[in-house]
Amino acid sequence: MSGGATFRAHLWLRRISTGRRLALLVAVLAAFAAWLALGGEAVLPWQPRWYLSLHTAVEVFAVVVALLVFSTGWHGIGRRIPVRVALLAPAALAVGLLDLGHLMTVQGMPGIGGPGNVATGIAFWLAARAIGALALLGAALAPRERTVGRALHRAAFATALALVLLASWQALGGPLALPATWVPGRGLTPFKIGCELALVAINALAAGLLLARAFRTGLRTDRYLAAAAAVLALSGVGFAMYDAPDDVFNMIGHVYKVIAYLFLYRAVYVAAVQAPYLLLQRSERSLVESENKFRGLMEAAPDAIVLAGADGRIAMMNARAEQMFGVSREAAAGMPLEALVPPGAGQDETSCRRPHAGAFPAEVRRAAMPTGQQVAVVRDVSERRRLERAVLEQLTCDALTGLPNRSRILEALDEAIDGARRLGRTLAVLVLDLDEFRKINSGYGWAGGDDVLRECAERLSALLQPGDMLARQGGNEFIVVQKNSDAAAAAALAEKLLGCLREPYVLRGQRVFLSAGVGVALLPQQPCDAEALLQMAQVAMGSARAEGHAQYRFYTAEIAEAIRERVDMEALLRHALERGQLVLQFQPRIRVAGGATQDGAIVGVEALVRWRHPVLGLVPPGRFIPIAEETGMIEELDLWVLREACVRAAGWRERGLPPVRVSVNLSARQFQQAGLDKRVRAALEYSGLPPSALELEITESTVMRDTGEAASVLRSLKALGVALSIDDFGTGYSSLSYLKRFPLDVLKIDRSFVKDVIDDPNDAAITCAIIALAHGLNLEAVAEGVETREQMEFLKAHGCDEIQGYYFSPPVWAEQLEAMLAKESVGNGVTVK
């Protein structure tokens, strides 16, 4: 092969991986051994006279390699040694010494204690081969990651020496009578061949295990060990096949053994020297990288970091420390750490010093390292303290008016309560809420509202005595704490506050007027904290607002009880809707003035909702209807009444009872909710009631809130075919213009006019005017609250179409009404008395 071809082959081998090179080499050796077994030895130029000299040279080299394996493993890097090295290195020593015994005792050598012979040489040989095979199998089975200490390594060395002595004793005529391994003229015995084949099997098993591990781990150590075990197995095949000690098979086996020892040396070198050395290099690089990262992090840290040596003098600091302490790191080097950081500073806030400036607040963390060095981490909290003061001011003061807020006034009120208790005095808390303040924001914007609130704060502050406190609770509410007060002083102050707030406010050149409600709470005798006292004033303020504008009320137990009862009633009412506790009563409407129906006949009924509670009994509507309106439950309640009334009326018609028109009251909230016509249509379709048999009652105040929208809603309802009536006519706006715009059918005269129609000429005139107005607009007139014969006769005489009231019938249950209608259906109409 030319030099260029050799170089190219070398490059090709370098490019392929270690595992593939080893596999290729083992494959070549196996192919060569197979070629020999198939008769190839006849081709080789072999002379038996060469054997002794070549055997000596090969065995000397093998002994040297085995001792190198031991030396490399014994002097490996590190205090702990991989378990495979601890096993293979002493085994290599034993193998090398036994190989030396084999070399000295083969036929033609001086021997040990006598001339060498074949049997003694084979005895040393088998002992060395057995120890080597078992050591490789142990390395294949041992955990790869496990390491052992030097003491165990020394124990393995002693064990190896003991095995050498025992094997040598046995080979040189020991006590055990082993079968012959060689018979002159016949060659190898079955015992010798069996031992060789057993060793071949052990080495082959070790090679398989190591190869599998090499595939899993990819480590070069496992690859070299697998190659060593495989080549030793191939060498054993040669040792089992030779006919004479000096033939070519025996010689090839020795050469294969030396190759295997070289692989073993490489494996131990990688595991005991190269791998720890590479690990040490990586550790050093990692240490350098960690130090660089530490320096980088130290420089990038937002806090000052100062490092001091074991003598307590500064050795290093970062750029933030230079900036914070106003000193360069060169100037700081060698300074005592206490010159910048006070001694004993822990994790609490302390005061640090600048060499050329004043002290500053800081959080300091100091720690001592095992080497005696000290590190201090300093964080300047000057800006944080400034922000905390600003935040505290924001949390305790109202940004708009500059007054204390609710949180601050509660703290001050607690202190005032404690002072009043100690001095035996009382105090008053007043809560003011501006009425209809949203009209300011709506008409003049938020800026206009802010101007009014600031002026209110100025007016209220001007009325207070020294020691009194004013705060803004939020929105349009203010809190006043009057010290050394009593009921008379608190009432006088409340009137002054209401008076000053009634004065006009000028916004964009316009005079605007406001009023307020004031709740007053006096410090009670029983224990009471600021939160409870302020809550009392809030409750009283709510009561004042409920009574109208510009009112003040003192807190009483009765007010609180009424509020608690109202809250309880709201909860019970929600359960009533869920549990079906609502029922309907019906009050008949009687025809009294001509028409298609005879006088005295029931022509309609008004559906009235009732609450039948299992404990409270029948709850009056006046107790729960206002609650339903305030909480929004009135929408659900209205829908239930509408559907239930339609279902009842449809049922009466199906049973053949006289047809009557059922009227249902619509709340203002229900009327203003979009889609009212769809909900009414759904109730009619669900019940099967004809639209003409349904009358919807709406109050004057409801339709007059937005007459344009009201007209649209009424037309959509009228399109369904239902009748429409104005309830309590004459008590609201009483605007005649809207009557001609709205598609109405009925005007209901309020009971307040009917009540005194006999005795009061004004009520009589109003009643007559409403009847005339209704007839003039082609509407029916219905009088509510008729309770006496005289009232009925007056209304009949003046043309009222229908009456409704206790004179004829109070509200009755559906079963009672059905009986009344059934009585009329058989011709016994009710006669008006």
Side-chain angles (χ1 to χ4, degrees), residues 491-505:
L493 179 59
E495 290 179 353
K496 290 180 180 179
L497 297 176
L498 290 175
C500 81
L501 294 177
R502 280 196 296 265
E503 296 295 323
Y505 304 85

Side-chain angles (χ1 to χ4, degrees), residues 628-712:
E629 290 176 342
E630 290 181 10
T631 59
M633 288 188 285
I634 193 67
E635 296 179 25
E636 187 177 352
L637 191 149
D638 277 358
L639 284 176
W640 180 87
V641 172
L642 176 63
R643 175 174 287 197
E644 183 69 14
C646 290
V647 169
R648 288 284 186 178
W652 298 331
R653 286 172 174 260
E654 289 177 1
R655 290 195 292 275
L657 296 175
V660 294
R661 189 164 65 189
V662 61
S663 62
V664 176
N665 291 280
L666 292 181
S667 66
R669 195 182 187 106
Q670 182 71 256
F671 185 80
Q672 293 161 5
Q673 196 76 19
L676 176 59
D677 57 333
K678 295 181 178 62
R679 294 191 290 276
V680 173
R681 181 187 295 109
L684 292 171
E685 293 175 352
Y686 175 79
S687 63
L689 182 69
S692 60
L694 175 64
E695 179 180 316
L696 301 177
E697 298 186 11
I698 306 100
T699 62
E700 269 190 297
S701 57
T702 298
V703 296
M704 291 306 296
R705 289 185 180 181
D706 187 342
T707 56
E709 181 64 23
S712 175

Side-chain angles (χ1 to χ4, degrees), residues 231-292:
V231 175
L232 282 174
L234 291 175
S235 70
V237 174
F239 295 136
M241 292 178 62
Y242 64 85
D243 295 324
D246 55 359
D247 71 5
V248 69
F249 280 109
N250 196 357
M251 193 69 244
I252 294 301
H254 282 79
V255 173
Y256 276 27
K257 182 187 75 168
V258 171
I259 295 173
Y261 284 7
L262 290 173
F263 288 154
L264 181 61
Y265 169 74
R266 183 62 177 169
V268 172
Y269 174 78
V270 169
V273 178
Q274 190 176 52
Y277 178 72
L278 293 176
L279 181 61
L280 180 60
Q281 281 188 323
R282 286 195 295 269
S283 299
E284 290 176 350
R285 287 196 298 269
S286 178
L287 182 61
V288 172
E289 292 174 0
S290 297
E291 185 176 353
N292 291 335

Side-chain angles (χ1 to χ4, degrees), residues 194 386 425 532 545 554 583 626 662 674:
R386 187 189 66 79
R425 298 175 180 174
R545 295 196 63 185
F554 279 86
V583 293
V662 61

Side-chain angles (χ1 to χ4, degrees), residues 396-692:
T396 57
C397 293
D398 176 54
L400 178 64
T401 61
L403 297 174
N405 60 10
R406 176 186 172 88
S407 174
R408 180 69 188 94
I409 198 67
L410 284 174
E411 294 178 4
L413 182 55
D414 271 325
E415 297 172 1
I417 290 174
D418 292 340
R421 298 289 191 196
R422 287 195 305 270
L423 299 175
R425 298 175 180 174
T426 189
L427 58 81
V429 175
L430 297 86
V431 175
L432 298 86
D433 185 60
L434 299 177
D435 297 325
E436 297 184 356
F437 184 75
R438 61 180 178 275
K439 71 182 182 181
I440 300 296
N441 288 330
S442 300
Y444 296 93
W446 294 102
D450 292 346
D451 291 340
V452 170
L453 290 174
R454 280 190 286 264
E455 187 170 346
C456 286
E458 294 174 1
R459 294 183 184 184
L460 297 174
S461 298
L463 297 177
L464 302 184
Q465 298 296 321
D468 293 346
M469 293 177 287
L470 173 65
R472 182 185 175 210
Q473 181 162 234
N476 51 319
E477 287 190 8
F478 294 88
I479 301 171
V480 175
V481 177
Q482 185 184 34
K483 298 181 179 179
N484 196 21
S485 179
D486 55 25
L493 179 59
E495 290 179 353
K496 290 180 180 179
L497 297 176
L498 290 175
C500 81
L501 294 177
R502 280 196 296 265
E503 296 295 323
Y505 304 85
V506 179
L507 293 174
R508 300 178 188 173
Q510 300 291 325
R511 289 158 58 89
V512 178
F513 294 88
L514 290 174
S515 60
V518 179
V520 186
L522 298 174
L523 182 64
Q525 295 297 324
Q526 61 270 24
C528 175
D529 61 8
E531 192 76 45
L533 188 58
L534 182 59
Q535 179 62 25
M536 294 178 186
Q538 292 269 175
V539 169
M541 186 268 291
S543 176
R545 295 196 63 185
E547 301 214 4
H549 297 316
Q551 301 289 329
Y552 72 90
R553 289 290 178 270
F554 279 86
Y555 172 84
T556 63
E558 290 75 13
I559 292 177
E561 180 61 30
I563 291 177
R564 282 193 295 270
E565 180 182 347
R566 189 179 187 85
V567 172
D568 294 341
M569 189 66 70
E570 178 183 341
L572 293 174
L573 181 57
R574 291 189 184 278
H575 290 310
L577 291 169
E578 298 168 357
R579 299 172 182 175
Q581 296 175 358
L582 299 179
V583 293
L584 290 183
Q585 283 190 325
F586 300 90
Q587 188 170 31
R589 281 167 41 178
I590 310 303
R591 171 68 64 179
V592 293
T597 306
Q598 67 177 19
D599 291 355
I602 301 175
V603 293
V605 292
E606 181 177 0
L608 302 170
V609 65
R610 298 292 184 261
W611 179 9
R612 185 182 287 165
H613 191 270
V615 177
L616 301 177
L618 198 62
V619 181
R623 290 185 64 186
F624 70 88
I625 294 296
I627 297 175
E629 290 176 342
E630 290 181 10
T631 59
M633 288 188 285
I634 193 67
E635 296 179 25
E636 187 177 352
L637 191 149
D638 277 358
L639 284 176
W640 180 87
V641 172
L642 176 63
R643 175 174 287 197
E644 183 69 14
C646 290
V647 169
R648 288 284 186 178
W652 298 331
R653 286 172 174 260
E654 289 177 1
R655 290 195 292 275
L657 296 175
V660 294
R661 189 164 65 189
V662 61
S663 62
V664 176
N665 291 280
L666 292 181
S667 66
R669 195 182 187 106
Q670 182 71 256
F671 185 80
Q672 293 161 5
Q673 196 76 19
L676 176 59
D677 57 333
K678 295 181 178 62
R679 294 191 290 276
V680 173
R681 181 187 295 109
L684 292 171
E685 293 175 352
Y686 175 79
S687 63
L689 182 69
S692 60

